[in-house]
């Protein structure tokens, strides 16, 4: 088949771009190719850790990307994002989508290993070091030194505890893609991997859901179904004494990324940081405050 013919059969169905990450989605012969590229402002390249996934039930939910430290491509039957699913207004099996999401993470944690390379921390932790260290003034202002210290304490625990596994690093809605009915999906894996406790990944997903729950009340019924399914299969979530800083980390990281790479103003970033602060002050909370 010629390159020209192959090009005609490959149609673009989605394209998004920030200074951190660019995403293109292409339909190819009834399947989909997701292509991620480093944005022009990305501070570090994709992870170079080569991983393998042992055969196991649910391993087909994991799709390890092909490419180098600036581009990754993923072939999958899933052409929608989870956000598409919860905002579409059409029937979809959100509980099944959540269960498959949790299963994909659990399979990764139980069955992934490195191929002849030393481990490192997840790429998202590496990117967070600048604001965790107090170099970003809005985080210092809103969370204060005690708040930043509490998040750093949680990060240290999940990076140095006795159970260290291959963590996805960024297992949220940018990397969990689904079929339109929500029946199954693919966790696009490899760009951010590193060693951490499984709670790191679980908290990342729960933090993203908590943020949407706080700022988008209309989505709460769908999010609650999705979250319930996820918690059934993902493994042990952070306990009451850890959930506050765990969710605060994910929310504060998004505040930093949104402000630095996606055009958010300081006021918008601070709105997210105040939500992170609410979780630090309410460590046992499993819901979010009403945003008025």
């Amino acid at each position: 088949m010629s390159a020209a013919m192959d090009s005609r059969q490959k149609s673009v169905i989605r394209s998004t771009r920030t200074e951190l990450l660019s995403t293109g989605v292409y339909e190819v012969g009834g399947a989909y190719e997701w292509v991620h590229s480093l944005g022009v402002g990305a501070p570090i390249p994709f992870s170079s850790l080569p991983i393998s996934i042992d055969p196991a039930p649910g391993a087909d939910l994991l799709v390890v990307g092909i490419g180098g430290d600036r581009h990754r491509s993923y072939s999958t039957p899933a052409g929608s994002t989870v956000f598409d699913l919860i905002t579409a207004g059409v029937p979809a099996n959100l509980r099944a989508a959540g269960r498959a999401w949790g299963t994909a993470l659990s399979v990764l944690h139980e069955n992934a290993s490195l191929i002849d390379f030393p481990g490192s921390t997840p790429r998202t932790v590496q990117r967070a070091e600048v604001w965790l260290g107090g170099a970003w003034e809005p985080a210092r202002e809103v969370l204060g030194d005690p708040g930043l210290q509490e998040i750093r304490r949680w990060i240290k625990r999940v990076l140095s505890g006795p159970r260290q596994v291959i963590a996805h690093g960024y297992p949220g809605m940018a990397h969990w893609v689904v079929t339109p009915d929500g029946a199954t999906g693919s966790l696009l894996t490899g760009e951010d991997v590193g060693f951490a406790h499984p709670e790191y990944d679980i908290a990342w997903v729960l933090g993203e859901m908590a943020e949407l729950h706080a700022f988008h009340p209309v989505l709460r019924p769908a999010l609650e179904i999705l979250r319930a399914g996820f918690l059934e299969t993902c493994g042990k979530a952070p306990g009451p004494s850890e959930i506050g800083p765990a969710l605060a980390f994910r929310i504060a990281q998004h505040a930093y990324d949104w402000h630095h790479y996606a055009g958010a103003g300081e006021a918008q970033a601070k709105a997210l940081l105040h939500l992170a602060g609410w979780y630090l002050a309410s460590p046992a909370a499993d819901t979010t405050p009403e945003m008025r």
Side-chain angles (χ1 to χ4, degrees), residues 3 23 34 36 50 58 72 75 102 136 154 156 160 181 184 190 209 215 234 246 267 270 277 291:
T23 300
W34 291 70
H36 286 175
R72 297 289 168 91
S75 295
W136 186 35
W154 180 76
K156 182 178 180 180
S160 61
D181 60 1
T184 189
M209 290 185 184
F215 289 99
C234 67
K270 284 184 175 179
M291 306 302 292

Side-chain angles (χ1 to χ4, degrees), residues 71 102 111 173 217-218 244 287:
H71 305 280
N111 296 278
M173 294 185 182
V218 70
T287 58

Side-chain angles (χ1 to χ4, degrees), residues 142-221:
V142 175
L143 302 178
D145 289 337
L148 290 172
Q149 184 176 355
E150 183 67 6
I151 296 173
R152 289 196 300 267
R153 180 199 61 78
W154 180 76
I155 289 292
K156 182 178 180 180
R157 187 184 72 80
V158 295
L159 295 183
S160 61
R163 188 184 178 199
Q164 299 291 294
V165 301
I166 298 292
H168 184 282
Y170 198 155
M173 294 185 182
H175 290 85
W176 173 242
V177 299
V178 294
T179 55
D181 60 1
T184 189
S186 297
L187 186 61
L188 311 182
T189 303
E191 298 163 23
D192 300 278
V193 295
F195 276 103
H197 191 281
E199 284 183 13
Y200 182 85
D201 282 341
I202 296 168
W204 188 276
V205 174
L206 295 178
E208 187 170 27
M209 290 185 184
E211 179 185 320
L212 289 173
H213 188 278
F215 289 99
H216 301 278
V218 70
L219 300 181
R220 289 175 182 171

Side-chain angles (χ1 to χ4, degrees), residues 12-254:
V12 180
I13 64 170
R14 184 191 304 269
S15 179
T16 60
R17 183 184 302 272
T18 71
E19 291 190 4
L20 182 64
L21 182 71
S22 295
T23 300
V25 187
Y26 307 88
E27 188 171 9
V28 187
Y32 299 91
E33 180 184 4
W34 291 70
V35 178
H36 286 175
S37 301
L38 284 183
V40 295
I44 56 176
F46 292 146
S47 170
S48 61
L49 298 178
I51 63 172
S52 64
I53 311 295
D54 294 335
D60 59 326
L61 297 171
L62 295 166
V63 178
V64 177
I66 298 172
D69 62 4
R70 299 190 62 84
H71 305 280
R72 297 289 168 91
S73 63
Y74 308 84
S75 295
T76 167
S80 302
T81 68
V82 182
F83 194 74
D84 294 334
L85 208 63
I86 62 177
T87 58
V90 298
N93 195 334
L94 295 173
R95 195 177 195 96
R99 285 180 56 82
W101 197 354
T103 297
L105 268 187
S106 179
V107 170
L108 177 70
H109 296 155
E110 296 292 339
N111 296 278
S113 58
L114 291 182
I115 306 172
D116 299 328
F117 274 74
S120 67
T121 60
R123 177 171 172 263
T124 39
V125 172
Q126 297 172 41
R127 292 200 298 102
E129 289 174 356
V130 60
W131 67 264
L132 282 173
W136 186 35
E137 194 277 334
R140 291 200 317 272
E141 177 185 334
V142 175
L143 302 178
D145 289 337
L148 290 172
Q149 184 176 355
E150 183 67 6
I151 296 173
R152 289 196 300 267
R153 180 199 61 78
W154 180 76
I155 289 292
K156 182 178 180 180
R157 187 184 72 80
V158 295
L159 295 183
S160 61
R163 188 184 178 199
Q164 299 291 294
V165 301
I166 298 292
H168 184 282
Y170 198 155
M173 294 185 182
H175 290 85
W176 173 242
V177 299
V178 294
T179 55
D181 60 1
T184 189
S186 297
L187 186 61
L188 311 182
T189 303
E191 298 163 23
D192 300 278
V193 295
F195 276 103
H197 191 281
E199 284 183 13
Y200 182 85
D201 282 341
I202 296 168
W204 188 276
V205 174
L206 295 178
E208 187 170 27
M209 290 185 184
E211 179 185 320
L212 289 173
H213 188 278
F215 289 99
H216 301 278
V218 70
L219 300 181
R220 289 175 182 171
L223 285 167
E224 287 165 5
I225 297 170
L226 189 68
R227 181 177 182 270
F230 176 78
L231 288 171
E232 287 178 13
T233 58
C234 67
K236 186 178 180 182
S241 65
E242 302 293 336
I243 193 67
L247 301 188
F249 169 71
R250 171 63 183 93
I251 294 165
Q253 180 63 49
H254 185 217

